[in-house]
């Protein structure tokens, strides 16, 4: 995937992910944020922060790159 991405999300994206995941959990009636909440909001927060390398936007989209990153990232076990 490194051959497609020129710039990715910064470290501060974690703050945004956590905040929006907390709000999502709350509106779903939960006071507990799970990895599923984070996964549900991650695309909307991260995709627009990705910048593809020049020329790569003709062969793939930021959404496709993000989906591949998500597919390769193992979700932590949750009790």
């Amino acid at each position: 995937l490194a051959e497609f991405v020129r710039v990715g999300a910064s470290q501060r994206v974690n703050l945004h992910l956590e905040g929006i995941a907390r709000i999502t959990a709350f509106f779903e009636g939960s006071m507990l944020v799970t990895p599923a909440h984070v996964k549900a909001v991650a695309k909307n927060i991260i995709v627009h922060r990705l910048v593809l390398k020049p020329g790569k936007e003709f062969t793939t989209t930021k959404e496709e790159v993000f989906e591949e990153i998500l597919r390769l990232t193992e979700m932590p076990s949750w009790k």
Side-chain angles (χ1 to χ4, degrees), residues 3-61:
E3 70 268 15
F4 292 104
V5 179
R6 180 176 179 193
V7 177
S10 71
Q11 297 151 337
R12 292 184 311 163
V13 77
N14 293 333
L15 300 173
H16 301 291
L17 277 173
E18 179 187 358
I20 300 300
R22 284 178 185 261
I23 292 168
T24 301
F26 176 78
F27 281 118
E28 290 179 357
S30 176
M31 296 301 288
L32 183 67
V33 178
T34 66
H37 290 117
V38 176
K39 185 176 180 179
V41 301
K43 184 175 183 180
N44 291 327
I45 296 172
I46 294 175
V47 167
H48 80 277
R49 289 174 166 86
L50 294 177
V51 177
L52 299 179
K53 289 185 177 177
K56 296 300 182 179
E57 65 272 10
F58 301 116
T59 59
T60 191
T61 65

